[in-house]
Amino acid sequence: MKILIDAVQAANFITVKKTTALVNKIASQGGTNRAEILKSNLAYYNTRKHSSESIYDNVAAVEDAIQRR
């Protein structure tokens, strides 16, 4: 879980809002006590986060195109 959280935080294509949401979701999978430990031990990267959430629409469009061939 820690590696996933670090990856989400380091990814510059994920917005700050989505980063927070994903970190919370990943941390919650370990239970309440583990979630608090994971969220309190966050590493901060010198990564500039993307400000537009349009990338999620693009990913969805590519996924849809792949499924439709």
Side-chain angles (χ1 to χ4, degrees), residues 20-62:
T20 302
L22 287 170
V23 166
N24 287 334
K25 283 182 182 181
I26 294 166
S28 70
Q29 295 301 307
T32 307
N33 293 335
R34 184 77 175 142
E36 291 306 314
I37 292 168
L38 286 168
K39 289 192 291 184
S40 69
N41 192 19
L42 296 178
Y44 293 95
Y45 298 92
N46 191 15
T47 302
R48 208 167 145 197
K49 290 296 207 174
H50 206 281
S51 59
S52 174
E53 292 196 8
S54 65
I55 190 165
Y56 306 111
D57 297 331
N58 295 339
V59 170
V62 170

Side-chain angles (χ1 to χ4, degrees), residues 4-14 19 43 45 47-49:
L4 286 173
I5 288 172
D6 287 348
V8 167
Q9 288 185 301
N12 63 351
F13 60 90
I14 301 175
T19 296
Y45 298 92
T47 302
R48 208 167 145 197
K49 290 296 207 174

